[in-house]
Amino acid sequence: MKSFAVAASAAIALLLPSTGVRAEEPIKIGFAIAESGWLSNYDSAPFKAAVMKIEEINKAGGLLGRQIEYSVMDTKTDQARAATVGAQLVDGGVDMLVVSCDYDFGAPSALAAKQAGKIAFSLCAADPKMGVQGVGSLTFTANSAAQSEGIAIAEYAQKKMNLKSVYVLEDLTIEYNKSACAGFRAAWAAGGGQETILGNDTFKNDDPSIASQITRLKGLAKQPEAVFVCSFTPGGASAVRQLRAAGIDLPILANTAMVDNYWLNAVPGLKDFYLPAFMSLYGDDPRPEMAKFLESHKARYGEPPVSSYAVLGYSLIEQWAYAVEQAKTTESEAVVGVMNSFKDQPFTAGPTSFTDQLHIQVDRPWLIMKVENGSFHAVEVYRNSFKPDMKLLFRVGQ
Amino acid sequence: MKSNAMPSLASIGRFWLPVLALVVPLVLIVVVTGQFGGLSLQRTVVEMLISIVIVVGLYVFVGNSGIISFGHATFMAIAAYGSAWQTCCEMLKPITMSGLPHFLRDQSIPLLPSAIVSVLLAGAAAFLTGLVIMRLTGLAASIATLAVLFILNVVYSNWDSVTMGSASIVGLPTYVTAWLALGCAVLAIVVAYLYQISAFGLAIRATREDEVAAAASGISLYWSRLIAFTLSGFLVGLGGVLQAHYLGTVSINNFFLGFTFLALAMLIVGGMGSLAGAVVGVVVITAMVDIFRRLEGGISIGGQQWSLPAGTQELIIAAFMLLILVFRKDGIMAGREIALPQQPQREKGLING
């Protein structure tokens, strides 16, 4: 399948000069994503789900009566390659360009699309800069802002779990964590007061030990009721393990990057661990559309998605196709016009809103999940009421 | 009259031959790929030309002085960020780079002046660091350049209000075309050539061959190296500006060890003893990377689809470099310039000791 897609992409890039679009011509979607390198871990699951949605649309008669063709090219997790591949796909005449799951690596491709006046849609960048302000008015991302993860779990902890104080442990390695922590702190302070954040500490994902951070946490005059760890694997898993090994049995709150069971072996017997997730891969998601998505994925690929980020890729195609149908054209400005008018538009990934200023979700409901008996379990769907303002989204003055 | 003009023309030709032998093939590559190559090949050529600017810049110091520098990515980063501050994303700048001074934050500066200022900034930074580092010799100087690289990386990764920390600055105007990159590559080659045959160049090449003898002949190790280091900083800075405005993004992670080693590998494969070596190294490595990247992507031979497993390219490049180092340790060009037969013999004594 992959080699077919690569061959198709090569053929399209080489053979098709841009010709006038006729009604019977297929609609083309390009994927400038990482198929190798570390980012491929994040890109591959949503990509497979996006392909699944494209096939579903084609089976149902296509989009505007035209079939959708897709081509994929590998950015190799390299910014220069991402720019080149994006330009090649755009040159091959794609109607929409899907770009990598990360602002730093997706933006070069998105810029190429912008220059050609094409829509670029990131699979799952959680940075609001993947949008109007950071790239341009034709750029979108299928994910929620990282700040909203922190906000959701902060509100949930205060309102539903009745936690009164917290300690924040922040991984400074990538921007995503800093954004999630910023969102958490803002929402927690808004709900419970700044003074109930009993302390902040930082570490780096590849720190072998966070013993000194743990010592400082244990040395607090008043112990917190929970710890928020904004990090990602493997460093985040290591931090959680060290917290538990040091006898800290407080509830641990985390951000979405720590979701899914693959790392739980690292912390045997982990419990009281909560985070906001897109969906549950373990059959207990309360939303029927997620169960349906899971079923179709199993039917198509013979296995459930390897990561819950998959649903974002599926929903990306869904959102764009819906907008194309409404606009009755694939012409970028018209499609963006429709997308900007989405207000809680129901899609598989959840209600979706865009405005002419914001091309990322800030209050899409999250599925709160907890770890118990060696697996993540769905708790309930929760929608944050605190909305991040532009200052928080772009982390001005922080 | 005519008989007088002819020899001088020939001597001009001989004088410029090492440059022409490098520039003419590059022009041909640009013309041919511009006419017949696909977009991917054209972009590879632009990347190659930018690498030539950078590696020739690196050569001006490393090749002439014999001191390996791990720190040149520093000056690229300084120039690239300098240009980003001046030209990037007017809309986002006040929000994400709020720590910039007003004249940068609230307006964009025209492209040409901003490029010149950025290159000057890189050169100035090279001069200032060179003032200290060039007092050291040999390995100590190399390690010191590595330290400079680390210092810059830590500062720029954490200076959030000005550099956006470890995030990318996206949205620089992308004005770099194949012809502009070619022009800059030619400029770099000419500057490097004129420098290496000048009195300053001869002096520093003498220090490379024998420090004690050179010093005894009245050559200042410190000043000759400082001049090379500064000039090299200017050229590498030019490469940084080109790269920033070719990709449209600047990220501090791109100016760190991975890039440093790739640039040094290009120089060493080609042969760090000569300008031709610097250029040939870039061309060979770029060509190999591109060929194997295409093979990994898959080609069809006689209707059969066929591709190398992902990651082969990196392995083959590594093996190739090893082979070069084992069997031809002075690189492909082995310290020679491309010249008419009698010239290498005349200079051989100096260049190859």
Side-chain angles (χ1 to χ4, degrees):
Chain A
M1 189 59 225
K2 191 171 145 190
S3 62
F4 165 75
V6 171
S9 70
I12 286 169
L14 292 175
L15 298 178
L16 285 179
S18 48
T19 50
V21 177
R22 282 166 294 155
E24 66 272 24
E25 267 195 8
I27 290 175
K28 286 187 219 138
I29 298 180
F31 288 85
I33 57 167
E35 294 183 290
S36 53
W38 66 264
L39 192 56
S40 64
N41 296 338
Y42 293 87
D43 279 355
S44 64
F47 165 65
K48 280 168 85 176
V51 168
M52 189 173 101
K53 182 68 194 175
I54 291 175
E55 289 169 354
E56 282 176 13
I57 293 174
N58 283 342
K59 211 180 273 177
L63 187 56
L64 306 178
R66 295 158 63 186
Q67 291 285 298
I68 304 179
E69 257 179 20
Y70 70 94
S71 42
V72 45
M73 295 187 88
D74 186 4
T75 66
K76 287 184 168 279
T77 315
D78 177 270
Q79 290 187 322
R81 279 304 294 163
T84 302
V85 159
Q88 263 178 287
L89 286 165
V90 167
D91 207 45
V94 298
D95 295 291
M96 191 262 285
L97 187 70
V98 179
V99 304
S100 273
C101 190
D102 180 89
Y103 176 67
D104 291 354
F105 291 89
S109 319
L111 276 178
K114 173 193 170 189
Q115 276 162 6
K118 300 292 177 196
I119 296 177
F121 215 142
S122 167
L123 287 170
C124 45
D127 189 328
K129 291 201 288 294
M130 187 60 108
V132 184
Q133 293 81 1
V135 182
S137 57
L138 300 179
T139 307
F140 291 80
T141 171
N143 202 347
S144 296
Q147 285 86 345
S148 138
E149 296 172 12
I151 291 169
I153 196 68
E155 274 188 13
Y156 185 82
Q158 288 179 334
K159 291 183 181 163
K160 303 274 180 156
M161 295 167 69
N162 250 338
L163 298 170
K164 297 278 180 270
S165 62
V166 74
Y167 187 81
V168 178
L169 196 50
E170 179 173 4
D171 179 346
L172 294 178
T173 314
I174 54 176
E175 294 295 305
Y176 161 77
N177 300 319
K178 299 184 197 167
S179 297
C181 258
F184 183 91
R185 277 192 285 258
W188 189 282
Q194 186 68 45
E195 66 286 353
T196 58
I197 302 178
L198 297 184
N200 287 289
D201 215 334
T202 62
F203 68 109
K204 289 265 187 185
N205 202 270
D206 52 3
D207 282 352
S209 163
I210 57 161
S212 50
Q213 287 87 340
I214 289 176
T215 310
R216 283 195 286 272
L217 166 56
K218 286 187 142 178
L220 289 178
K222 183 178 162 222
Q223 283 297 300
E225 292 182 16
V227 180
F228 179 58
V229 181
C230 41
S231 183
F232 59 103
T233 55
S238 156
V240 170
R241 184 189 173 105
Q242 291 177 59
L243 285 170
R244 285 296 186 242
I248 297 172
D249 288 327
L250 303 168
I252 296 180
L253 314 171
N255 51 327
T256 310
M258 298 289 292
V259 76
D260 298 334
N261 286 350
Y262 64 94
W263 62 272
L264 291 181
N265 284 341
V267 196
L270 179 66
K271 56 181 189 187
D272 258 352
F273 182 90
Y274 296 83
L275 53 66
F278 306 114
M279 62 171 292
S280 164
L281 296 177
Y282 312 109
D284 55 358
D285 200 299
R287 294 162 294 182
E289 61 271 24
M290 292 301 180
K292 193 166 151 259
F293 167 73
L294 217 51
E295 276 313 305
S296 335
H297 198 282
K298 280 183 197 159
R300 170 66 182 78
Y301 293 107
E303 59 180 11
V306 291
S307 114
S308 49
Y309 282 78
V311 71
L312 298 177
Y314 183 86
S315 199
L316 181 162
I317 301 291
E318 194 184 13
Q319 289 161 31
W320 183 74
Y322 178 82
V324 167
E325 246 164 33
Q326 296 297 305
K328 299 192 174 57
T329 169
T330 58
E331 202 271 313
S332 302
E333 290 297 336
V335 177
V336 168
V338 174
M339 288 175 68
N340 282 345
S341 71
F342 285 175
K343 195 158 188 333
D344 280 344
Q345 191 74 35
F347 290 111
T348 307
T352 301
S353 312
F354 291 118
T355 68
D356 57 358
Q357 284 303 307
L358 214 50
H359 287 175
I360 193 165
Q361 303 309 309
V362 292
D363 63 344
R364 186 185 267 169
W366 293 92
L367 177 68
I368 304 294
M369 297 188 83
K370 67 172 175 184
V371 175
E372 218 159 49
N373 301 325
S375 172
F376 274 93
H377 296 279
V379 182
E380 61 178 306
V381 176
Y382 181 79
R383 185 169 203 175
N384 52 294
S385 54
F386 177 90
K387 282 197 195 180
D389 57 9
M390 284 295 183
K391 267 181 100 167
L392 178 54
L393 284 174
F394 292 96
R395 301 217 324 268
V396 182
Q398 293 178 15
Chain B
M1 207 42 201
K2 207 171 187 183
S3 59
N4 276 343
M6 281 309 287
S8 80
L9 205 64
S11 70
I12 289 174
R14 177 158 300 160
F15 180 80
W16 286 106
L17 184 67
V19 172
L20 290 174
L22 297 173
V23 168
V24 172
L26 291 180
V27 175
L28 283 179
I29 290 175
V30 172
V31 170
V32 170
T33 55
Q35 286 296 318
F36 306 108
L39 182 70
S40 163
L41 189 61
Q42 289 172 10
R43 290 187 66 103
T44 304
V45 168
V46 179
E47 283 169 28
M48 179 188 82
L49 292 166
I50 295 171
S51 298
I52 287 179
V53 176
I54 295 160
V55 175
V56 165
L58 193 59
Y59 159 79
V60 165
F61 177 71
V62 174
N64 289 323
S65 73
I67 299 169
I68 300 276
S69 164
F70 298 104
H72 273 65
T74 311
F75 311 122
M76 266 183 86
I78 286 172
Y81 272 89
S83 192
W85 291 329
Q86 295 175 73
T87 60
C88 178
C89 37
E90 234 163 291
M91 199 165 158
L92 203 57
K93 224 160 34 173
I95 311 177
T96 54
M97 292 181 265
S98 51
L100 285 174
H102 285 284
F103 66 96
L104 285 176
R105 195 179 62 199
D106 303 328
Q107 63 179 357
S108 282
I109 289 163
L111 297 175
L112 185 63
S114 73
I116 292 171
V117 168
S118 308
V119 171
L120 291 177
L121 202 62
F127 177 73
L128 289 175
T129 44
L131 279 177
V132 180
I133 291 177
M134 292 307 119
R135 294 189 176 282
L136 309 169
T137 53
L139 197 56
S142 294
I143 300 297
T145 58
L146 187 62
V148 171
L149 179 67
F150 274 84
I151 291 169
L152 178 101
N153 188 271
V154 169
V155 170
Y156 273 34
S157 308
N158 293 289
W159 198 5
D160 287 351
S161 65
V162 171
T163 63
M164 291 173 65
S166 45
S168 297
I169 300 178
V170 174
L172 280 75
T174 47
Y175 58 73
V176 176
T177 60
W179 289 106
L180 178 65
L182 177 69
C184 292
V186 171
L187 175 71
I189 291 171
V190 168
V191 168
Y193 179 66
L194 290 179
Y195 170 71
Q196 81 180 22
I197 60 167
S198 70
F200 299 113
L202 282 175
I204 191 168
R205 288 166 89 85
T207 70
R208 181 186 71 184
E209 301 304 331
D210 190 329
E211 285 187 4
V212 178
S217 313
I219 295 171
S220 159
L221 295 184
Y222 177 64
W223 285 105
S224 62
R225 285 174 183 168
L226 183 58
I227 292 168
F229 198 70
T230 308
L231 183 61
S232 156
F234 278 116
L235 290 178
V236 169
L238 177 62
V241 172
L242 287 176
Q243 198 188 51
H245 288 280
Y246 171 67
L247 290 181
T249 68
V250 174
S251 162
I252 191 65
N253 300 322
N254 290 353
F255 303 107
F256 202 45
L257 295 176
F259 171 81
T260 301
F261 289 130
L262 184 66
L264 278 175
M266 287 174 165
L267 185 57
I268 288 167
V269 164
M272 64 179 227
S274 70
L275 179 57
V279 177
V280 168
V282 175
V283 175
V284 168
I285 295 280
T286 310
M288 288 194 59
V289 168
D290 196 58
I291 289 168
F292 285 102
R293 201 149 59 189
R294 276 160 207 275
L295 290 180
E296 273 180 25
I299 52 164
S300 83
I301 299 172
Q304 281 284 311
Q305 189 61 32
W306 181 111
S307 72
L308 290 173
T312 319
Q313 169 223 316
E314 286 84 352
L315 277 180
I316 291 185
I317 298 290
F320 175 72
M321 285 179 193
L322 266 180
L323 288 177
I324 291 275
L325 289 176
V326 171
F327 292 108
R328 207 174 161 86
K329 68 178 174 51
D330 291 328
I332 296 172
M333 295 304 292
R336 291 198 173 82
E337 298 298 353
I338 301 167
L340 292 176
Q342 71 267 38
Q343 201 162 2
Q345 281 158 15
R346 191 162 58 85
E347 277 192 6
K348 204 173 172 184
L350 178 60
I351 293 172
N352 290 330

